[in-house]
Amino acid sequence: MTAAVPSRPTDRFDLTGRTAVVTGAARGLGRAFAVGLAEAGADLVLVDLPGAEGIDATAAQVEALGRRARVCGQDLADIDALPGFVDAVRAEAGPLHILVNNAGTAALERFNEITPASWSHIMRVNVDAVFFLSQRVAEHMTADRVAGRIITITSKNALVAEAGLTHYNASKAAAQLLTETLAVELAPHGITANTLAPGMVETPIDGEFPFDREAFEAAYRERIPLGRYARPDECVGALLLLASDAGAYLTGARIVVDGGVLADQMPRMRFMPPYRNTV
C-alpha cells in the first residue's frame, strides 16, 4: 500500500509523537539539535554527564515548546553501562524513534604527545559509545517495529586531516564508516543511519584548546568560503532532514555543513582580481 502523501511539504518534517535521544545535550550543537527537534514536535531524552552545566537550560527550552524533556546523566565513556542505560530510557520514555549521537570530545596534541589514556578516552566517547548506544537503541527499535533514525554527528575531520588532532580525526573517520555499516545492516528493518559532518561551529569545544583562539579564528575564517563559523542552529535543518520522513530514503549518507571548506582545495580567491559583475 502506498503511503499517503503529506498535504504540505512541511508535514514531511513533522516529528509529533516521536521521541528523540540527544547525547551531549547540555550546550552547543546538542542544545540546538534538541530544541530543533522539539520545534518539529518531538519529545526529548537529553543525555549528558551527570550534573552537566546547562542541561537544565536545554530542558527548559524544550518544555517551553510544549514538549517533554527527560534529563539523563550518563558518562558515555562507561561502555559497559550503556546497554542498561538504554533499557532504562526505553522503559521510561517508551519507543525510541530518533538517536542523535552528538556527544564528543577532542584534545589538541601533537602525535608524539598522545598518551594511551588520551587516545583511549577519545575513542571511547567518539567511537565506542556511538556504536554501543546505536547497537542497543537499534535493538529496541526493531523490537518495537519502529522505522527509526540514527544520526551520528561526525566532522569534516572525518574526511580530511588536521594537525594536532590525530586521535580526533581517526575517531570521526571510524564513526563515519561504522554508521555506513549500520545503514546496510539496519535497512531491512526500516531504520536509517546517517552522519552529519559540521565544519567550524561557534561551540565551546574549540575554546578549550590551549592556543591563540583569536588569531586562529581569523586565519580560519579566511579559509571558509562563506567567511565565518556556523551558528549551531544553522546545522539543525540538515538534522531535521535526516530525522524525519523527508529523509526516509536517505541512509548511509553524509551531509557536510562546513560553509564550503571541503569544496575549496586551495584558497585561491584572495589572490584573484576583484569580482566584476558582467550584467
Side-chain angles (χ1 to χ4, degrees):
M1 181 176 178
T2 303
V5 177
S7 59
R8 299 174 301 169
T10 53
D11 291 342
R12 299 178 188 273
F13 294 89
D14 186 4
L15 300 176
T16 302
R18 303 184 197 185
T19 297
V21 179
V22 179
T23 66
R27 57 181 185 169
L29 280 172
R31 177 179 293 176
F33 290 149
V35 172
L37 290 164
E39 289 173 336
D43 293 322
L44 272 297
V45 176
L46 307 173
V47 183
D48 216 303
L49 289 167
E53 183 179 355
I55 194 70
D56 290 337
T58 302
Q61 290 187 38
V62 169
E63 291 169 346
L65 294 165
R67 311 313 310 171
R68 289 185 184 177
R70 293 176 173 84
V71 174
C72 298
Q74 176 63 43
D75 181 358
L76 299 183
D78 185 359
I79 303 302
D80 292 337
L82 296 184
F85 169 70
V86 174
D87 292 349
V89 168
R90 165 61 183 85
E92 180 181 345
L96 306 176
H97 302 84
I98 302 160
L99 170 63
V100 182
N101 288 307
N102 169 74
T105 188
L108 186 66
E109 300 172 304
R110 292 184 182 274
F111 81 96
N112 60 324
E113 298 169 344
I114 296 172
T115 64
S118 176
W119 178 275
S120 178
H121 179 68
I122 286 175
M123 290 296 169
R124 287 177 75 83
V125 175
N126 294 1
V127 183
D128 298 355
V130 166
F131 176 73
F132 288 106
L133 276 177
S134 299
Q135 180 190 64
R136 196 62 174 175
V137 169
E139 288 280 85
H140 281 288
M141 287 176 173
T142 58
D144 291 328
R145 299 186 181 277
V146 168
R149 306 282 185 261
I150 295 174
I151 306 159
T152 296
I153 310 305
T154 57
S155 168
K156 63 176 177 50
N157 293 57
L159 307 167
V160 292
E162 186 174 350
L165 294 169
T166 303
H167 34 20
Y168 180 78
N169 298 339
S171 72
K172 292 301 183 178
Q176 175 63 43
L177 198 56
L178 78 81
T179 302
E180 292 177 18
T181 309
L182 289 174
V184 175
E185 293 203 31
L186 293 174
H189 304 284
I191 300 169
T192 66
N194 297 287
T195 62
L196 193 163
M200 302 303 288
V201 184
E202 294 173 352
T203 58
I205 190 169
D206 285 335
E208 297 165 0
F209 287 171
F211 56 47
D212 186 337
R213 182 183 176 113
E214 185 175 346
F216 175 80
E217 288 193 353
Y220 210 108
R221 287 192 184 97
E222 292 184 8
R223 181 70 180 82
I224 303 172
L226 285 181
R228 61 178 177 83
Y229 281 22
R231 301 187 310 273
D233 65 280
E234 291 179 305
C235 297
V236 171
L239 181 87
L240 293 179
L241 171 63
L242 298 176
S244 68
D245 292 343
Y249 200 66
L250 278 169
T251 197
R254 174 181 65 231
I255 298 182
V256 179
V257 185
D258 72 346
V261 170
L262 297 188
D264 190 13
Q265 65 169 322
M266 167 60 190
R268 189 186 302 275
M269 289 286 288
R270 74 187 72 169
F271 304 107
M272 295 175 66
Y275 169 74
R276 291 184 296 175
N277 195 316
T278 61
V279 176

